[in-house]
Amino acid sequence: MKVYEICFSPTGGTKKAADMLANEIGKEVQTVDLTDSRTDFSEVSLEENDVAVIAVPSYGGRVPGTAAERLAAVRGNGAKAVLVCVYGNRAYEDTLVELQDTAKQAGFSVVSAVAAIAEHSIARQFAAGRPDAKDEAELHDFADKIRAKLEAEDFSEPEIPGNRPYKKGGGAGMVPKPTKECVKCGLCAEKCPVQAIDKDDPGKVDSKVCISCMRCISVCPHSARKVNSVMLAAVNTMLKKVCSERKECELYI
Ligand SMILES: Cc1cc2nc3c(=O)[nH]c(=O)nc-3n(C[C@H](O)[C@H](O)[C@H](O)COP(=O)(O)O)c2cc1C
Ligand code: SF4
Ligand code: SF4
């Protein structure tokens, strides 16, 4: 049995939570990075006795479209899937059921699902510092329960919350732009999961392609990429009401 971590994590929060689970389920974990636009995901092929922790962030209560497309290309071949949805303390709505459908379409057999919380990648003051020590203890406990289920060869599919048809998706519409501190090093263009930034002129961004994942902001070594401050202030106000009360990790098994 091999353990895989198949993860879409533009700013690292999803990967932190996925690592806490995957490293507790298996000793050696092979990672598949769904943000890498150069990978041919149809060449990623698993076997029936493998286990995959499949982790995505929630974007507007849905699976990010790019993550869904890339995961659908993977060949699950009956491998057991532990689904993970990571969200910024607002809500994850239909993310887990959409991830369930996509993983099954790719040939995985879903044995459990987890919702976890990480720092909100647009408005970073919400869920700041999460997943924290309490989350880590919970996720380790979840991993032990999942491992016990797998060892008992119980491959039943759990009830997972969410609606079908899924809620309407839609981009956040926030396209980060460089500030005058930009030295045109091109790192953001190289790391953009959808190649929306022009390599030769990082000031040029294709706003139709950008998925507002905020990776370009998080990777810039000069803190020279920002979203429009008026839009960000509006998002902060909107999220203040719905993000303030701490939500906890959940396990479906
Ligand atoms: C475009 C976009 C949409 C988001 N939508 C939601 C949401 O609907 N609910 C929520 O709680 N968090 C939302 N978030 C926050 C992310 O789910 C959360 O910060 C996640 O940890 C980001 O994952 P990453 O750090 O792996 O990139 C959104 C973030 C982005 C960039
Ligand atoms: S990573 Fe930062 S400094 Fe480099 S091109 Fe992008 S915005 Fe400019
Ligand atoms: S340009 Fe858009 S899609 Fe690319 S890294 Fe920045 S926010 Fe993400």
Side-chain angles (χ1 to χ4, degrees), residues 39-50:
T39 302
D40 177 358
F41 292 98
S42 66
E43 285 182 1
V44 179
S45 185
L46 286 79
E47 290 176 10
E48 199 174 350
N49 62 350
D50 293 338

Side-chain angles (χ1 to χ4, degrees), residues 63-114:
V63 176
T66 310
E69 274 164 37
R70 292 176 184 174
L71 175 60
V74 170
R75 295 159 200 231
N77 296 318
K80 312 300 173 277
V82 176
L83 308 178
V84 185
C85 143
V86 178
Y87 67 108
N89 204 50
R90 185 190 69 80
Y92 60 89
E93 292 150 330
D94 303 333
T95 314
L96 274 181
V97 284
E98 186 179 8
L99 188 59
Q100 179 182 23
D101 296 343
T102 313
K104 285 166 75 174
Q105 186 192 327
F108 289 93
S109 165
V110 174
V111 294
S112 76
V114 169

Side-chain angles (χ1 to χ4, degrees), residues 10 59 174-176 188 191-197 205-206 209-217 219 225 227:
Y59 281 6
M174 298 178 86
V175 182
C188 54
K191 299 284 183 189
C192 172
V194 292
Q195 296 183 316
I197 304 171
V205 189
D206 189 336
V209 175
C210 171
I211 56 168
S212 302
C213 71
M214 306 296 135
R215 174 173 274 180
C216 50
I217 294 180
V219 298
R225 232 170 162 90
V227 286

